C-alpha cells in the first residue's frame, strides 16, 4: 500500500536532480557498458533529499525534510532509505551523507533484496569534521538498498500481524484511520476466557514519530513472548490485558518521514486537551491523536481502567547511549506533593523491574529528579497526568539505535525483541513487589541510579523540552 502522491513528489525531485546531472556531465556508462548507476526512493518508506552523483561509484546524498518542508526545524532529520541500481561490484562505492540533523556517528544498514539486512562495519563508515557520514564499500551485487536503521514499514507490520492473527490470545482490531485513510491497528493480547474484572489493563503505543523503528521490534518481542503459551505467559495473560497500538503515525511511516504526519504535524506534542475539562481534546488535536484518545476512553468505559501507559520512542544519540526513560517529578524531599512523588516512585519501580529483566547495565541510569515541565505541555503523559494523576503509571521509553548497551556490537532487531520480553516480565513484577523473586532482585539491585548519567546535558530535567519538540 503506497502513498502514491507522496512518491510522485519524491520521484519528481530525484528525477529533476538527475536531469540536471545528466545535462551537466552527460550519461556515464561503466566499462562493461551497463546502464548508469541510479538512486531510487520509489518504495514504501523510501526517503532522500538532494542527490548529486559524482560518478558511477560516488554519490553525495542529503537528507530530506519531512514532506520536503524546509520550514521544519533543522534537527528534524534522521531517516533516509534509498535503493541504488547498477552499482559496480568491481569497485568501491563511496556515499557521502549530509544534512543529517543529528551529528552523531552511526552505522547504517544495507540489503541486497530489501528484506535481509546487514549493518555496515565500523571500517566502512566514517564521519568527517562537517559531521557528514561517509560510507565506503565494495558491494557484492549491483542492486543494494541502504537505510539509516533496519526498516520496519507499514507492510512489515501487516505481514507480522498475519503471522499471529490466528492465535487465540490475540485480537487485531482497528482503532480508526489516519488522515490518509490507513487503518491504525489496535492489538489486544489477553486470556479472553479469564474475567476482565480481575485484570490490569496496560496501554502501549509506538511510532508517533514514524522513523523511530526500534519500538516495533520491542513490541514484536513482547507479543511473541506473551504468545509462547507457557505456564508463565498463561499466568500473565490471565492477569493482564495488553492494548497495543503498534504504529500510530502510519501516514508518516509510508511517506518515509522522520517526525511528522504528511501534514507536518508532530503528534507527540499535540495531545491538546481542554484545560477546563482535560479528559476531552480540542478540535486542534490531529485525527491520529483523537483516534488513540477515543480508543482509550472506550476501553476505560467497557472494562478495567488503564494502569500503565507506555509511549515508545527511539532517541538519536551517541552510539553508546542505552535505552532510557522520561520519568516525571521527584521525591517529596525535593518539594513535590504526595501525588507527584507517588507517580515518581511508581515510575522508578517500573524502571527497576525492567532493569531486573533486561539488565541494569543495559539501561541509562534514571535521573535524581524528572522535573515537571511535561505537565504544562501536550504530550500523551501530560494528558494522562491531568486526568489520572498517579493512578496511571504513564512513561516514555526511549530506545536508541546505536550500540545501545551491546558495545562493541551494535543493537539488532532481536535485541529489542529481547527487551520486549523484559518489558512483559517487568509489568508482571511491577505488581508483585512482595514476591520472593522481586525481593531478592531488589536486595541485590545494582545501584544504577547512583552512577553518573552518561547523557546529563540532554536528560530531563536539564532539557526543558525533553527533546520531543
Ligand atoms: Zn520520538
Amino acid at each position: 500500500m503506497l502513498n502514491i502522491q507522496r512518491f510522485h513528489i519524491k520521484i519528481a525531485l530525484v528525477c529533476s536532480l538527475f536531469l540536471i546531472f545528466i545535462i551537466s556531465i552527460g550519461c556515464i556508462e561503466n566499462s562493461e557498458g551497463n546502464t548508469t548507476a541510479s538512486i531510487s526512493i520509489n518504495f514504501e518508506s523510501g526517503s532522500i533529499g538532494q542527490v548529486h552523483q559524482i560518478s558511477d561509484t560516488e554519490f553525495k546524498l542529503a537528507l530530506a525534510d519531512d514532506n520536503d518542508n524546509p520550514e521544519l526545524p533543522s534537527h528534524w532529520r534522521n531517516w533516509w532509505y534509498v535503493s541504488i541500481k547498477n552499482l559496480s561490484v568491481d569497485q568501491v562505492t563511496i556515499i557521502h551523507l549530509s544534512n543529517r540533523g543529528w551529528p552523531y556517528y552511526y552505522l547504517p544498514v544495507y540489503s541486497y533484496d530489501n528484506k535481509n539486512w546487514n549493518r555496515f562495519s565500523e571500517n566502512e563508515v566514517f564521519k568527517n569534521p562537517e559531521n557528514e557520514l561517509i560510507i565506503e564499500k565494495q558491494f557484492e551485487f549491483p542492486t543494494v538498498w541502504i537505510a539509516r536503521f533496519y526498516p520496519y514499514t507499514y507492510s512489515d507490520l501487516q505481514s507480522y500481524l498475519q503471522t499471529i492473527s490466528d492465535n487465540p490470545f490475540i485480537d487485531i482490531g482497528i482503532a480508526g484511520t489516519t488522515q490518509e485513510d490507513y487503518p491504525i491497528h489496535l492489538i489486544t493480547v489477553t486470556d479472553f476466557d479469564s474475567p476482565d474484572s480481575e485484570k490490569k489493563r496496560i496501554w502501549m503505543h509506538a511510532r508517533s514519530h514514524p522513523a523511530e523503528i526500534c519500538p516495533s521490534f520491542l513490541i514484536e518481542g513482547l507479543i511473541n513472548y506473551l504468545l509462547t503459551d507457557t505456564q508463565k505467559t498463561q499466568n500473565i495473560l490471565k492477569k493482564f490485558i495488553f492494548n497495543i497500538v503498534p504504529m500510530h503515525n502510519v501516514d508518516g511511516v509510508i511517506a518515509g518521514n522522520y517526525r511528522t504526519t504528511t501534514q507536518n504535524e508532530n503528534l507527540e506534542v499535540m495531545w491538546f486537551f481542554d484545560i477546563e475539562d482535560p479528559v476531552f481534546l480540542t478540535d486542534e488535536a490531529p485525527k491520529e491523536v483523537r483516534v488513540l484518545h477515543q480508543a482509550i476512553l472506550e476501553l476505560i468505559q467497557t472494562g478495567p481502567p488503564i494502569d500503565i501507559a507506555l509511549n515508545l520512542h527511539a532517541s538519536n544519540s551517541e552510539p553508546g547511549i542505552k535505552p532510557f526513560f522520561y520519568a516525571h517529578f521527584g521525591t517529596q524531599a525535593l518539594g513535590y506533593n504526595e501525588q507527584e512523588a507517588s507517580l515518581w516512585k511508581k515510575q522508578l519501580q517500573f524502571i527497576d523491574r525492567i532493569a531486573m529483566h533486561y539488565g541494569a547495565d543495559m539501561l541509562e541510569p534514571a535521573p535524581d529528579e524528572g522535573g515537571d515541565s511535561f505537565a504544562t505541555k501536550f504530550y500523551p503523559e501530560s494528558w494522562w497526568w491531568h486526568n489520572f494523576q498517579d493512578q496511571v503509571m504513564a512513561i516514555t521509553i526511549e530506545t536508541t539505535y546505536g550500540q545501545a548497551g551491546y558495545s562493541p556490537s551494535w543493537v539488532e532487531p532481536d535485541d529489542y525483541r529481547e527487551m520486549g520480553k523484559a518489558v512483559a516480565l517487568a509489568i508482571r513484577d511491577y505488581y508483585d513487589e512482595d514476591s520472593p523473586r522481586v525481593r531478592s532482585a531488589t536486595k541485590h539491585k545494582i545501584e544504577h541510579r547512583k552512577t553518573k548519567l552518561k547523557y546529563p546535558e540532554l536528560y530531563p530535567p536539564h532539557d526543558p523540552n525533553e527533546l520531543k519538540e
Side-chain angles (χ1 to χ4, degrees):
M1 297 175 86
L2 303 177
N3 178 345
I4 301 302
Q5 191 183 8
R6 173 90 180 103
F7 286 153
H8 283 173
I9 295 168
K10 288 176 180 171
I11 294 162
L13 175 71
V14 174
C15 289
S16 59
L17 288 161
F18 269 103
L19 194 63
I20 291 164
F21 163 73
I22 288 164
I23 291 167
S24 59
I25 62 171
C27 189
I28 298 170
E29 293 206 349
N30 64 26
S31 53
E32 284 80 33
N34 294 336
T35 320
T36 305
S38 63
I39 291 194
S40 166
I41 52 167
N42 186 18
F43 48 87
E44 191 180 353
S45 299
S47 177
I48 201 64
Q50 289 195 335
V51 174
H52 181 46
Q53 191 168 344
I54 308 294
S55 72
D56 244 19
T57 55
E58 189 165 4
F59 302 86
K60 289 197 168 187
L61 309 182
L63 265 67
D65 300 314
D66 283 3
N67 313 309
D68 301 320
N69 180 351
E71 311 276 297
L72 299 177
S74 61
H75 67 281
W76 284 21
R77 293 191 207 96
N78 171 42
W79 181 245
W80 61 287
Y81 180 15
V82 301
S83 79
I84 313 182
K85 290 195 168 63
N86 300 315
L87 276 176
S88 166
V89 293
D90 304 322
Q91 297 174 70
V92 171
T93 296
I94 303 170
I95 298 166
H96 307 255
L97 192 69
S98 64
N99 203 30
R100 296 196 300 127
W102 300 78
Y104 307 116
Y105 176 83
Y106 64 79
L107 298 181
V109 296
Y110 67 94
S111 168
Y112 295 118
D113 57 7
N114 201 18
K115 202 170 149 194
N116 299 293
W117 292 86
N118 303 292
R119 283 254 196 203
F120 286 97
S121 67
E122 285 177 42
N123 56 23
E124 293 169 332
V125 182
F126 311 92
K127 187 164 82 89
N128 70 15
E130 287 75 48
N131 286 327
E132 293 175 346
L133 274 195
I134 297 150
I135 301 169
E136 295 184 10
K137 184 176 179 64
Q138 189 165 344
F139 291 101
E140 291 169 36
F141 296 95
T143 297
V144 66
W145 284 259
I146 308 177
R148 191 277 182 243
F149 189 75
Y150 300 92
Y152 194 104
T153 63
Y154 184 54
S155 298
D156 290 329
L157 172 65
Q158 288 176 309
S159 302
Y160 171 67
L161 294 181
Q162 269 174 16
T163 67
I164 53 171
S165 59
D166 291 337
N167 192 291
F169 297 111
I170 199 158
D171 175 71
I172 299 169
I174 307 285
T177 55
T178 65
Q179 296 175 72
E180 300 204 19
D181 243 7
Y182 289 99
I184 300 175
H185 291 288
L186 173 59
I187 305 168
T188 303
V189 193
T190 190
D191 179 346
F192 293 97
D193 293 331
S194 293
D196 281 357
S197 55
E198 291 166 25
K199 292 173 185 162
K200 301 279 187 195
R201 194 191 288 283
I202 313 298
W203 172 269
M204 217 176 276
H205 74 274
R207 308 289 296 268
S208 292
H209 289 146
E212 295 181 358
I213 286 167
C214 317
S216 290
F217 299 118
L218 188 157
I219 284 174
E220 277 196 5
L222 177 131
I223 294 174
N224 291 347
Y225 174 66
L226 291 174
L227 300 183
T228 49
D229 206 12
T230 61
Q231 194 59 51
K232 252 190 200 177
T233 57
Q234 284 170 14
N235 289 341
I236 295 174
L237 294 178
K238 279 188 199 340
K239 291 182 186 163
F240 295 96
I241 308 170
F242 294 84
N243 297 122
I244 303 169
V245 174
M247 194 173 278
H248 184 198
N249 188 349
V250 176
D251 295 352
V253 171
I254 292 172
N257 281 354
Y258 161 35
R259 221 166 167 74
T260 74
T261 64
T262 49
Q263 305 306 310
N264 302 303
E265 296 145 330
N266 177 8
L267 299 178
E268 182 63 14
V269 299
M270 299 177 82
W271 284 63
F272 293 133
F273 56 83
D274 186 336
I275 306 286
E276 302 295 315
D277 196 353
V279 74
F280 299 111
L281 299 179
T282 67
D283 292 342
E284 279 83 60
K287 187 181 180 193
E288 287 82 354
V289 170
R290 284 186 278 119
V291 166
L292 262 55
H293 173 259
Q294 186 61 30
I296 288 166
L297 293 187
E298 283 171 17
L299 289 171
I300 294 170
Q301 278 160 13
T302 56
I306 290 171
D307 229 71
I308 290 179
L310 303 180
N311 178 10
L312 305 182
H313 288 259
S315 171
N316 289 282
S317 47
E318 293 170 73
I321 300 299
K322 304 164 188 176
F324 60 96
F325 302 81
Y326 283 116
H328 297 300
F329 299 126
T331 60
Q332 281 185 284
L334 289 171
Y336 293 97
N337 71 31
E338 200 179 333
Q339 274 186 328
E340 292 167 346
S342 164
L343 180 64
W344 167 254
K345 190 173 165 223
K346 287 182 173 186
Q347 293 173 323
L348 291 196
Q349 187 175 312
F350 180 68
I351 296 169
D352 281 347
R353 296 289 75 81
I354 295 184
M356 176 177 150
H357 290 286
Y358 191 55
D361 54 348
M362 298 304 289
L363 304 173
E364 289 296 313
D368 296 329
E369 182 178 0
D372 59 6
S373 70
F374 84 105
T376 58
K377 301 209 163 80
F378 296 98
Y379 305 137
E381 287 82 14
S382 317
W383 182 82
W384 289 108
W385 170 251
H386 283 281
N387 288 290
F388 301 94
Q389 293 77 48
D390 61 334
Q391 294 310 300
V392 176
M393 197 291 294
I395 195 166
T396 286
I397 302 180
E398 292 278 357
T399 56
T400 54
Y401 305 85
Q403 292 167 325
Y406 290 91
S407 172
S409 299
W410 288 64
V411 73
E412 298 290 330
D414 275 348
D415 298 326
Y416 277 124
R417 291 189 181 99
E418 273 302 305
M419 190 179 176
K421 175 183 171 183
V423 170
L425 291 167
I427 289 167
R428 176 196 67 181
D429 288 346
Y430 171 80
Y431 293 99
D432 211 5
E433 286 292 297
D434 291 329
S435 75
R437 179 179 61 240
V438 175
R439 287 169 81 157
S440 111
T442 308
K443 201 169 144 202
H444 300 295
K445 187 176 72 184
I446 296 170
E447 293 283 321
H448 58 283
R449 279 201 294 283
K450 291 191 178 161
T451 59
K452 192 169 167 4
L453 285 178
K454 296 205 175 80
Y455 206 21
E457 74 281 11
L458 295 176
Y459 207 106
H462 306 288
D463 182 83
N465 291 322
E466 304 188 351
L467 292 178
K468 286 185 171 183
E469 289 180 5

